[in-house]
Amino acid sequence: MSKIYWPLYEVFVRNKQGLSHRHVGSLHAADEQMALENARDVYTRRSEGCSIWVVKASEITASQPEDRGEFFDPADTKIYRHPTFYTLPDGIEHM
Amino acid sequence: MAFYTRHLGDNSLVLSQRLCAWCGFAPELEIDLALANIGLDLLGQARNLLAYSASLTDSALDEDALAYGRDERQFTNLLLVEQPNGDFSDTLMRQYLMDAWHLPLYQGLVASSDPGLAAIAAKAVKEVRYHLRFSRGWLVRLGNGTALSNQKMQQALDRLWRFSGEMFSSAPEEQALVDQGVIPATQHIEAQWQQEVRQGIADAGLVLPDSAPYRTGGKQGLHTEHLGPLLAEMQYLQRVYPGQQW
């Protein structure tokens, strides 16, 4: 079989206790349905009650490493821009 | 009852052994993992069923003795599951015909009046539902794929069809189990199987074969020429070193 008709899919999985979908890897599949089934076999090892997202890799736009400067650096010297001076009340979870 | 659970266990065991032979040889990495997954599901079912069957007999048998200590005349699996893997289309068609039978069977067994069997079925039904989804998806995909893939699927169907009738030939002693509510009635399963397979084959753009001369005998221990070599390989270690443990 040739890979020509088997585009790359990125796989995001939220496990049972998880709060959000995490990127776990990629795989090849002929269509979305097959991508879901493959993801379930390759990445979840049938842990019940998890949610899977598959996205065609071509749908993803990534930030460029050479843009790091203007994307991420400017705030580094301005500590007042980071919410680090708050104390969290007890009982707040998942922060 | 012990015979019936052993028959179900043999089905899963032999089919699992067949699927394991794909390991590392499947057409794609993802399919390789999927087939191994299904094989392991079936092996788990086989273990449950054979262990349960062994517990119903008074002998010192256990699941290992049943799996590795019997020859082909003592195996009671359907002839369908022992058929060679052939190519991917043969394996898929065999899987589809089997999954379409397994699902209504286990769904019926979930309501069994026998708690042990009902528990095994409840676990198996989740797995089998996925197996059917997998094999049906591929059936439809390949049936509607290229002219070649359609032709291959049709040939696989024509080759395997004669083994499909055996699923619905129940042994006389099974009627008593049906009456006690232990196992679902064959007619009921056959109706659901027919419905699924007719729809699936139609969705795949394939043609159902005219009723073939059906092959039966698996349940009576009368197998095709394929089971003997499969067992020789599977049981090699126990035959050379009987009772070997590690």
Side-chain angles (χ1 to χ4, degrees):
Chain A
M1 274 193 210
S2 96
K3 282 267 191 263
I4 296 173
Y5 306 108
W6 285 54
L8 189 69
Y9 284 83
E10 298 298 333
V11 183
F12 301 81
V13 171
R14 183 171 61 77
N15 62 18
K16 241 182 321 206
Q17 291 82 21
L19 288 162
S20 56
H21 287 73
R22 286 190 325 114
H23 178 244
V24 290
S26 54
L27 48 79
H28 288 275
D31 53 50
E32 281 82 4
Q33 215 47 51
M34 195 200 295
L36 269 183
E37 285 166 23
N38 288 346
R40 176 257 192 202
D41 283 335
V42 178
Y43 290 112
T44 69
R45 308 224 170 71
R46 70 197 44 179
S47 56
E48 243 70 38
C50 71
S51 152
I52 306 174
W53 289 346
V54 289
V55 184
K56 258 206 187 88
S58 56
E59 298 286 331
I60 293 175
T61 311
S63 60
Q64 298 301 319
E66 55 268 25
D67 296 341
R68 259 200 62 178
E70 55 267 46
F71 263 74
F72 308 109
D73 282 352
D76 277 2
T77 53
K78 306 174 183 143
I79 52 169
Y80 51 84
R81 296 195 48 173
H82 302 294
T84 47
F85 301 101
Y86 298 98
T87 45
L88 279 183
D90 291 339
I92 301 277
E93 293 172 6
H94 309 306
M95 284 292 274
Chain B
M1 180 77 193
F3 176 86
Y4 184 79
T5 47
R6 209 176 71 200
H7 158 67
L8 293 187
D10 286 350
N11 285 338
S12 294
L13 179 64
V14 172
L15 188 54
S16 162
Q17 181 71 11
R18 278 279 183 239
L19 286 174
C20 287
W22 273 104
C23 194
F25 291 94
E28 293 284 347
L29 172 82
E30 289 84 359
I31 298 171
D32 208 290
L33 284 161
L35 291 177
N37 253 318
I38 295 173
L40 286 173
D41 282 347
L42 290 164
L43 186 65
Q45 291 169 20
R47 289 191 57 187
N48 286 337
L49 287 158
L50 292 178
Y52 189 51
S53 173
S55 73
L56 294 171
T57 51
D58 312 335
S59 61
L61 282 178
D62 62 0
E63 56 182 282
D64 282 340
L66 284 176
Y68 299 112
R70 289 179 299 153
D71 65 14
E72 62 173 295
R73 292 303 296 272
Q74 297 162 300
F75 265 77
T76 56
N77 56 280
L78 295 170
L79 297 176
L80 177 65
V81 295
E82 71 196 42
Q83 297 313 302
N85 284 339
D87 61 18
F88 189 50
S89 65
D90 295 310
T91 290
L92 268 181
M93 190 56 75
R94 182 186 63 198
Q95 195 64 38
Y96 175 66
L97 296 175
M98 195 65 193
D99 294 342
W101 179 74
H102 257 161
L103 184 59
L105 173 71
Y106 282 128
Q107 280 173 330
L109 286 172
V110 169
S112 169
S113 61
D114 181 271
L117 199 51
I120 292 172
K123 198 166 176 298
V125 90
K126 277 192 288 197
E127 296 169 347
V128 170
R129 199 174 282 128
Y130 180 75
H131 300 171
L132 180 61
R133 183 183 156 143
F134 173 87
S135 57
R136 194 184 202 281
W138 274 102
L139 168 84
V140 172
R141 226 175 255 126
L142 290 175
N144 297 316
T146 62
L148 179 64
S149 72
N150 177 285
Q151 182 197 347
K152 276 180 167 291
M153 290 308 278
Q154 185 66 54
Q155 284 170 344
L157 177 62
D158 296 345
R159 259 197 299 272
L160 292 169
W161 188 251
R162 65 184 187 278
F163 298 111
S164 65
E166 193 188 11
M167 300 168 172
F168 314 111
S169 63
S170 50
E173 55 267 26
E174 282 172 30
Q175 192 50 49
L177 293 177
V178 174
D179 296 340
Q180 294 159 21
V182 176
I183 63 175
T186 308
Q187 306 86 312
H188 178 62
I189 295 170
E190 182 168 15
Q192 292 191 69
W193 183 86
Q194 288 280 2
Q195 191 186 1
E196 163 60 51
V197 170
R198 277 175 198 289
Q199 191 61 53
I201 296 297
D203 289 351
L206 302 174
V207 187
L208 274 183
D210 299 333
S211 57
Y214 286 121
R215 291 283 316 273
T216 57
K219 271 192 192 181
Q220 293 81 47
L222 303 171
H223 292 277
T224 58
E225 68 270 34
H226 304 294
L227 184 64
L230 177 142
L231 292 181
E233 184 179 56
M234 185 174 93
Q235 299 172 341
Y236 163 81
L237 208 72
Q238 282 302 317
R239 293 186 188 189
V240 179
Y241 303 104
Q244 181 64 262
Q245 303 239 329
W246 64 87

